[in-house]
Amino acid sequence: MTARLECSGLRVAGRSMRLCVLILCLLPHFGWAVSYKPGDPVILYVNKVGPYHNPQETYHYYTLPVCRPKEVHHKALSLGEVLDGDRMAESLYNIHFKENTERQTLCKLTLSEKEVDQLREAIEELYYFEFVLDDIPIWGFVGYMEESGFLPHSHKVGLWTHLDFNIEYNGDSVIFANVSVKDVKPEPLEEGGGGTGRGVGSGGLMVTHTYSVRWFESTLPHSRRAERLRDYSFFPKTLEIHWLSIINSLVLVVLLLGFVIIILMRVLKNDFARYNVEEDGGCDDLDQGDNGWKIIHTDVFRFPPYKSLLCAVLGVGAQFLTLATGIIVMALLGMFNVHRHGAINSAAIVLYALTSCVSGYCSCSFYTQIQGQRWVWNIILTSALFSAPLFFTWSVVNSVHWWSGSTQALPATTVLLLLGAWVLVGFPLTVIGGIVGKNRAGNFQAPCRTRNIPRQIPRQPWYKHTAVHMAIGGFLPFSAISVELYYIFATAWGREHYTLYGILLCVFAILLSVGACISVALTYFLLSGEDYRWWWRSVLSTGSTGIFIFVYSLFYYHNRSNMSGLVQSVEFFGYSLLTAFVFSLMLGTVSFWASLAFIRYIYRSLKMD
């Protein structure tokens, strides 16, 4: 039976790898320079518009009453670009390499009253647009709004009908591009039409859209043009104090770890000196009249309830530890070009599918070690532990985006591709990893035997209850990453481009170290009170960091951002909840294995004949 499953698994693995190749083909091609000759056309793509303070609420540019071709041609996009909400389409702008253009007419539009109201509402909500030229994003506001005075109150809304494109080049390649309206007057869109434009009917308006193109020579090579984009200030910069904040956090964490390790080692040294006074008898013959963690040596390795769920948590946690490390290493290697949209999204999807074998292997291997019998159910639970909440959250978020007409709603082809990646790659690799883990699982390796009758647990003081341990074990790791968490949120839910991946790797390592040390300390306090129920406690104590992260997301939403509206709120809180869940799985896994290694060490170190 096992041999047939393994042969079938190999065939599935072959199909899985072919699908992975297909997905990888949809990844952005990093660093490819496009060469132009003087006079060659440079295509400008229109992409999306949306409220400035709601980065994830985006709509296709052509949903606004703007100049558009008779037949819209869309650009082929990578998987990451689609996930990022991009919907690029060719524009009417006629741009040629190194050729300046002054006051070129784009089109003339006759806007109805309804279209004028649509533009006015977009401008009042601070809509900005995003164009793309040679993979360089170009941002600008749709219009201009001014409010002044109290009595009388002045409310002015204007539409930018002329855009100045400033493009930098070096040799035969484009280096940078932006748009300016510095010397342009907006077209007024007051209630009821009017303004300098010619009124059409009741509230209608006739406008003429124009543009200019100016080329400037740059000394910056194409390989470094990402630096030029990072220095551009259309979006506000908030990462200036990054280094000082991280150094302060690192110092505090190092001091914390030092105190925990030193104090715990001194306490253990005294315990070993006291427990190893009697040298006769094995581990089962230790003095039962003593107290502390020694007295529960016959119960501490008693297997916990809900074995399958515990192993699934450990398996998926190990998968995300591998995934996070892979993403950070890829970023350090420079594989994520700042010009390419959705590169990290694409890499995360591919790595999630490929690392599914890690979750299956770790879960089923440990499940077999602790004498679990329903290994098929364990594999199914492992595969669904994260994918099921992800699918439910995505369904709700995508439905809201679809209802609002946002470009963040995934098209059917992309949904089928992602579903195929899970059905043909993720789930089969989980099964294959589970089968291999089951066949290669050894013994549990407990230093002491477990008696049939469990020992009665004495009444514990309030400070050793689960809630207290979760509060302590969750707050300390959270405090280690609280500073960096702000910058991550500013990148994921704002306009920043995160570049300090070396610092991120250090913070990630310190987070895992703090989680492991705190878990060991809390496990020792639990055992010293003669409570041997450490299995789930070790997972929950540090895994509760996810709760603090979700609470921080609430604080960030209300106090550090200007996000609002149903679309943005549903996406923010839905995916913030998933992020907190992932952190809980990762830290719970690290916490459990650290506690298990510590318990094996202290009971193996008891003097035995």
Side-chain angles (χ1 to χ4, degrees):
M1 176 66 178
T2 303
R4 288 199 299 271
L5 284 173
E6 289 179 343
C7 292
S8 177
L10 292 175
R11 290 194 295 270
V12 172
R15 293 195 297 269
S16 301
M17 293 307 297
R18 288 195 292 272
L19 185 61
C20 282
V21 171
L22 174 62
I23 296 175
L24 287 170
C25 290
L26 297 174
L27 293 175
H29 304 289
F30 306 111
W32 286 9
V34 179
S35 299
Y36 298 96
K37 296 178 181 179
D40 282 354
V42 182
I43 300 178
L44 177 69
Y45 293 98
V46 299
N47 191 12
K48 52 192 178 183
V49 295
Y52 181 82
H53 296 299
N54 291 352
Q56 278 67 44
E57 183 181 351
T58 55
Y59 307 94
H60 198 288
Y61 180 74
Y62 286 147
T63 58
L64 293 179
V66 294
C67 298
R68 72 177 70 192
K70 293 182 179 179
E71 185 176 352
V72 178
H73 297 281
H74 286 86
K75 179 186 177 183
L77 302 177
S78 69
L79 174 62
E81 290 170 333
V82 175
L83 294 175
D84 202 42
D86 291 344
R87 302 293 185 269
M88 300 183 198
E90 294 182 6
S91 67
L92 292 174
Y93 292 98
N94 192 13
I95 301 176
H96 295 272
F97 191 66
K98 294 185 181 180
E99 291 186 1
N100 293 333
T101 301
E102 291 293 336
R103 305 295 298 191
Q104 182 73 27
T105 299
L106 185 67
C107 75
K108 295 182 179 180
L109 291 178
T110 301
L111 302 176
S112 65
E113 183 178 1
K114 182 179 180 181
E115 291 173 331
V116 172
D117 291 338
Q118 182 183 359
L119 284 172
R120 185 185 301 111
E121 182 181 356
I123 296 171
E124 289 175 343
E125 293 183 8
L126 295 180
Y127 268 46
Y128 73 100
F129 61 79
E130 179 179 291
F131 297 162
V132 178
L133 184 144
D134 193 49
D135 292 330
I136 300 174
I138 301 175
W139 299 291
F141 285 104
V142 173
Y144 168 83
M145 183 179 67
E146 178 183 353
E147 295 201 39
S148 60
F150 179 68
L151 288 175
H153 176 67
S154 174
H155 179 76
K156 298 180 179 179
V157 177
L159 173 69
W160 297 120
T161 57
H162 178 82
L163 298 178
D164 290 322
F165 291 96
N166 305 303
I167 308 175
E168 300 177 11
Y169 68 94
N170 185 351
D172 59 356
S173 60
V174 176
I175 302 301
F176 179 72
N178 70 351
V179 67
S180 172
V181 291
K182 183 174 63 173
D183 300 323
V184 181
K185 291 184 178 180
E187 184 71 34
L189 296 180
E190 279 79 12
E191 295 288 344
T196 58
R198 188 153 49 107
V200 180
S202 58
L205 189 67
M206 178 180 290
V207 295
T208 301
H209 286 272
T210 58
Y211 68 98
S212 299
V213 180
R214 301 183 181 92
W215 291 86
F216 303 91
E217 189 171 5
S218 173
T219 59
L220 194 69
H222 182 274
S223 59
R224 295 177 53 196
R225 69 175 187 170
E227 300 175 9
R228 183 71 177 87
L229 181 61
R230 286 196 296 266
D231 295 336
Y232 184 53
S233 58
F234 178 77
F235 299 117
K237 303 295 182 181
T238 60
L239 304 186
E240 289 82 0
I241 60 171
H242 202 167
W243 279 102
L244 182 61
S245 301
I246 294 304
I247 291 175
N248 180 54
S249 179
L250 292 180
V251 171
L252 292 177
V253 168
V254 170
L255 291 176
L256 172 64
L257 291 178
F259 283 130
V260 170
I261 293 174
I262 292 174
I263 294 175
L264 194 58
M265 290 304 295
R266 288 182 62 87
V267 172
L268 281 176
K269 183 178 180 180
N270 294 333
D271 286 348
F272 288 144
R274 179 162 54 95
Y275 291 155
N276 288 330
V277 172
E278 297 188 9
E279 300 183 3
D280 54 313
C283 190
D284 286 327
D285 299 325
L286 291 171
D287 184 11
Q288 296 299 312
D290 210 336
N291 56 13
W293 55 266
K294 182 192 74 171
I295 201 172
I296 59 172
H297 65 279
T298 57
D299 295 282
V300 73
F301 294 105
R302 188 179 305 280
F303 297 144
Y306 310 109
K307 295 178 183 178
S308 188
L309 179 60
L310 175 65
C311 295
V313 169
L314 300 180
V316 179
Q319 177 185 3
F320 276 105
L321 286 171
T322 308
L323 173 62
T325 304
I327 290 292
I328 296 175
V329 170
M330 291 174 65
L332 285 173
L333 296 176
M335 298 182 65
F336 301 133
N337 193 320
V338 70
H339 293 292
R340 307 297 295 187
H341 289 198
I344 292 183
N345 293 339
S346 300
I349 289 174
V350 174
L351 286 180
Y352 176 77
L354 295 178
T355 55
S356 297
C357 57
V358 175
S359 63
Y361 180 88
C362 295
S363 176
C364 206
S365 175
F366 192 70
Y367 184 69
T368 304
Q369 290 183 33
I370 60 176
Q371 301 175 6
Q373 302 298 324
R374 304 173 61 189
W375 63 273
V376 175
W377 163 248
N378 173 251
I379 292 177
I380 296 175
L381 180 61
T382 302
S383 181
L385 185 63
F386 176 76
S387 59
L390 173 63
F391 178 77
F392 175 76
T393 303
W394 171 83
S395 299
V396 174
V397 173
N398 199 68
S399 298
V400 173
H401 282 301
W402 175 81
W403 172 77
S404 65
S406 171
T407 59
Q408 298 289 336
L410 297 183
T413 53
T414 305
V415 174
L416 292 177
L417 176 64
L418 296 178
L419 184 61
W422 185 82
V423 173
L424 300 179
V425 181
F427 182 73
L429 287 181
T430 305
V431 175
I432 294 172
I435 294 174
V436 174
K438 174 182 178 296
N439 294 334
R440 294 189 178 183
N443 297 323
F444 180 68
Q445 298 179 355
C448 302
R449 290 189 306 171
T450 301
R451 291 183 177 176
N452 294 330
I453 302 176
R455 181 185 181 87
Q456 185 176 0
I457 300 174
R459 183 180 180 87
Q460 300 295 313
W462 65 269
Y463 52 84
K464 290 188 178 182
H465 288 174
T466 303
V468 178
H469 278 202
M470 289 178 64
I472 298 173
F475 176 76
L476 293 177
F478 170 77
S479 64
I481 63 169
S482 58
V483 174
E484 191 69 15
L485 201 60
Y486 168 76
Y487 300 113
I488 295 175
F489 270 69
T491 302
W493 301 107
R495 314 292 184 177
E496 297 294 344
H497 294 290
Y498 197 96
T499 56
L500 300 177
Y501 293 104
I503 288 182
L504 183 62
L505 180 61
C506 293
V507 172
F508 184 64
I510 286 182
L511 171 66
L512 302 184
S513 301
V514 171
C517 289
I518 296 302
S519 173
V520 168
L522 293 177
T523 299
Y524 173 80
F525 295 145
L526 184 71
L527 298 181
S528 64
E530 303 177 13
D531 189 345
Y532 51 82
R533 298 170 299 182
W534 63 273
W535 299 77
W536 276 107
R537 181 73 69 87
S538 63
V539 174
L540 295 175
S541 59
T542 311
S544 61
T545 305
I547 299 176
F548 287 87
I549 292 176
F550 184 73
V551 171
Y552 176 81
S553 70
L554 300 177
F555 169 79
Y556 180 87
Y557 182 86
H558 291 289
N559 298 89
R560 291 290 183 266
S561 75
N562 294 309
M563 294 183 285
S564 61
L566 176 64
V567 176
Q568 182 68 45
S569 300
V570 170
E571 174 150 348
F572 179 84
F573 291 114
Y575 288 126
S576 293
L577 194 59
L578 274 181
T579 301
F581 182 50
V582 169
F583 269 88
S584 296
L585 293 173
M586 289 194 302
L587 291 177
T589 300
V590 172
S591 174
F592 176 84
W593 290 114
S595 297
L596 178 60
F598 169 74
I599 292 174
R600 282 174 172 166
Y601 166 75
I602 63 174
Y603 283 99
R604 191 178 290 120
S605 299
L606 288 174
K607 188 173 292 185
M608 302 168 62
D609 292 339

